[in-house]
Amino acid sequence: MIAKLAWIQFLRQGARAWLNVAVTGLTLVTLIFMTSLLNGFQLQASKNLKSTDVGGGHYRLPDFDILSPTEWEDQTFSPPPFLKNLSDTEKAEVLVLQGQLFPNRRLYPVQLRGIDLKQKLLDLPLEPLSRQENGNEYIPVIIGTRMSERSRLQKGDSAVLRWRDRLGVIDARDAKVIEVADFLNPRVDEGVVWLSLDRLRIMTRREGEVSWVTVTHNLGSDKHLEFLEPATLMSDILNLLKQDRRNAKVLWAILLFLAGTSVYNSQILNVFKRQKEIGAMMAFGMESRTIIGLYTLEGTISGFGAIFFAFIFGVPFYYWFQSVGLDISHLSASTMPVRERIFLDFHFSEMLWITLIMLSVVIFSAWRPVQKIARLEPTVALRGKGL
Amino acid sequence: MMHRACNRKLYFNSKKMMTRLFFLAIIFVTSLSPVNAQESNIDAKLLLTQVDDNIWSNTKFIQGRLIIDNGRTVRTLSVDNWMEGVERSYSHYTAPARERGTKMLKADKKLWMYTPRADRTILIAGHLLRQSMMGSDLSYEDMSEDKRLSRVYDAKVEKMETLDGVLCAVLLLTSLEEDTNYQTRRLWVDPEKKIILKQYLYAKSGKLLKTVEFKDYFKTSGRLFPREMIYRDLLKENTKTTYSFDEIQFDVEIPPEYFSQSILKR
């Protein structure tokens, strides 16, 4: 009976009630959109990082640190049999060393990355290198579009490449850019010069050595090597997104506050305008607790209505959005490993949490203003002078 | 009549030509033979040892200036340098103001650098020694290296060549050790004075990387020492670093604390 009464009273509120539903529903749609967009961003960034660099994790020497280039030379190893025997689809051997490129006689410190050209684990556009593996006239290299822009080197250009071998002997030769490739991941683009692993090994007298081996998954521990999970290798991006999520919570709070305020405001108005009605209910013997419950339920209906509204409005909106995506090409110059468009990535548990949190805010906002009813005297309320 | 005159003319012309060729040949032979003789007389290894003997000593003190020209700006650093053997050296930068008090100590293949502004000592380990020193054309290694060339390289005389009016023996140095930075060097040496006038440093592939010019030799402590060494990194454009020597002392006694880390303090 209470529920039916609450529903009738809710409908009697008219436009005010539907506005509440719309505001709260739009808030819910926006909250789910924001969260899913960040998920989508993270998904695409992780996917790009994994397909171009991280794979399913790296086996490295424990002291290897990609941020300490001066120590790379000391942190190479010969892969043990359990890594060596993996097929080309299960591993990618990478050797990273320091070098110096001199485009137009300007010094440009670079990371020389040699990769096994037969590998099929990572998706890197390095195929042209295998066509020129045997030439000795120059060192064939591939650079990324960002690197090309910074170093002003184009396809077909040559520049002197200087490096040191395992014993510290200085060597230099002409390197020719045989391709400018579009790498999705800036980590494998900026400041990186790609060449064949075999060639880099010969150049630096590091036969059979690697800096790391990318694998599909953890293959167990080795006493000399350390396995780094993808999450560890992507920790910088993940931490950045975590920070973004923290920042997004401010917007979350504002939106929830607005939704709560609209319900709160309606409830205050309800109690104020309907004092005589409350007085009559009391006079007929309804307990103030029941009346509070009735009014709270009335306010809460807008919360449920919002969920329904979000479903009706949100589903087509999300469906449309998934067909167009969000253009983030402006980020291509940044260090983010994402390009072009991102799409929403929905997580059911997150959506449920968002809905429950919003519903809690609405219930609280509906309940808090009607507490005054408990203090009302029926006779005073009947005269409309209780509040 | 006409024909006879022509023949006579031809005869005289060919005779004149032959005489000219004969004199030219004599000039050519006389000008080359002493050089060739000199080239064959020079013992490259001995000459390199003599060059080392002139320039090398167990301990050395150098007061000098590093003039770093990167093509756009020129910076001058004043530095006092104490060197002992191949492994140990200590440098104290005295100017300009922003570098004053900077100290570098090289010992046991490690380099420590003290910067007074931060009041901190930083260890520049192994590979950092190979980086450019303070934006110059020298690496930390080049700056603190003082190996006897005759011990590290095999030498042979390639040719004789006149450089700035001095007849020089061009020595091609090939490293005897696998881990020498520059596997090949080319030196222009004055065989009379046993001094280097120019040096080319090559990559393993044979690419010319750096040149060093030795200028204005002066006599000090019975040795000849250049007033200036001009380094040029040929892979860079318009850069040069001049190491100018204001004072040099050989076989000086260096207090042991100069090669101890305790010197790296304010």
Side-chain angles (χ1 to χ4, degrees), chain A residues 21-59:
Chain A
V21 168
V23 169
T24 319
L26 281 174
T27 305
L28 189 60
V29 170
T30 312
L31 292 178
I32 292 174
F33 179 80
M34 276 165 53
T35 313
S36 303
L37 197 64
L38 272 173
N39 289 344
F41 192 87
Q42 182 168 333
L43 183 76
Q44 202 182 110
S46 311
K47 197 178 119 200
N48 289 343
L49 279 174
K50 281 181 182 170
S51 67
T52 54
D53 184 24
V54 171
H58 287 182
Y59 277 98

Side-chain angles (χ1 to χ4, degrees), chain A residues 70 74 105 169-172, chain B residues 127 130 178 181 204-205 236:
Chain A
T70 54
D74 298 327
R105 297 183 70 188
V169 176
I170 302 169
D171 208 349
Chain B
H127 307 299
R130 298 166 184 172
E178 260 196 322
N181 305 342
K204 200 168 76 176
S205 65
K236 294 187 204 161

Side-chain angles (χ1 to χ4, degrees), chain A residues 198-386:
Chain A
D198 291 337
R199 190 180 285 273
L200 185 58
R201 280 172 170 167
I202 293 167
M203 281 161 58
T204 57
R205 288 199 268 185
R206 289 177 184 274
E207 200 50 51
E209 290 184 17
V210 294
S211 298
W212 67 71
V213 180
T214 310
V215 289
T216 50
H217 61 280
N218 190 346
L219 300 163
S221 59
D222 181 275
K223 63 177 176 180
H224 301 299
L225 301 177
E226 180 183 45
F227 179 74
L228 296 181
E229 295 285 350
T232 315
L233 294 166
M234 301 189 295
S235 57
D236 51 344
I237 294 286
L238 295 180
N239 286 338
L240 202 68
L241 288 168
K242 205 182 266 178
Q243 187 58 43
D244 262 4
R245 283 179 197 277
R246 268 185 221 128
N247 297 341
K249 285 205 170 77
V250 177
L251 202 58
W252 257 61
I254 294 169
L255 287 172
L256 284 172
F257 178 77
L258 288 176
T261 306
S262 83
V263 175
Y264 195 93
N265 186 39
S266 302
Q267 290 292 84
I268 287 177
L269 204 65
N270 274 344
V271 174
F272 184 75
K273 279 178 71 178
R274 288 154 63 188
Q275 283 183 72
K276 287 180 184 171
E277 188 185 319
I278 294 167
M281 283 175 183
M282 284 174 160
F284 283 117
M286 200 179 265
E287 285 182 22
S288 57
R289 268 177 59 198
T290 317
I291 300 169
I292 289 171
L294 176 71
Y295 273 75
T296 307
L297 190 61
E298 194 184 316
T300 308
I301 287 173
S302 56
F304 287 104
I307 295 170
F308 182 72
F309 177 91
F311 183 78
I312 298 295
F313 175 76
V315 170
F317 170 71
Y318 297 145
Y319 186 78
W320 165 79
F321 188 85
Q322 291 299 70
S323 67
V324 292
L326 178 69
D327 183 6
I328 50 159
S329 49
H330 61 283
L331 285 178
S332 62
S334 76
T335 54
M336 286 290 174
V338 281
R339 197 81 67 77
E340 295 157 357
R341 288 173 189 281
I342 54 167
F343 298 92
L344 303 175
D345 178 32
F346 299 106
H347 292 180
F348 180 73
S349 58
E350 263 177 9
M351 287 163 68
L352 191 68
W353 269 112
I354 292 168
T355 310
L356 288 176
I357 290 169
M358 203 215 62
L359 207 55
S360 310
V361 170
V362 170
I363 292 170
F364 177 79
S365 309
W367 168 79
R368 190 69 189 87
V370 296
Q371 287 300 295
K372 289 174 182 171
I373 294 171
R375 297 196 301 267
L376 277 179
E377 284 293 323
T379 47
V380 184
L382 273 169
R383 276 183 276 142
K385 291 181 178 171

Side-chain angles (χ1 to χ4, degrees), chain B residues 130-166:
Chain B
R130 298 166 184 172
Q131 308 296 319
S132 158
M133 193 193 75
M134 296 179 169
S136 70
D137 287 346
L138 286 90
S139 65
Y140 291 102
E141 219 171 35
D142 289 338
M143 179 71 179
S144 54
E145 188 185 63
D146 195 20
K147 282 183 179 173
R148 270 179 173 270
L149 293 175
S150 54
R151 288 203 186 150
V152 184
Y153 292 95
D154 184 31
K156 74 169 190 193
V157 180
E158 276 193 324
K159 57 182 174 179
M160 298 300 289
E161 195 175 288
T162 305
L163 182 72
D164 297 335
V166 180

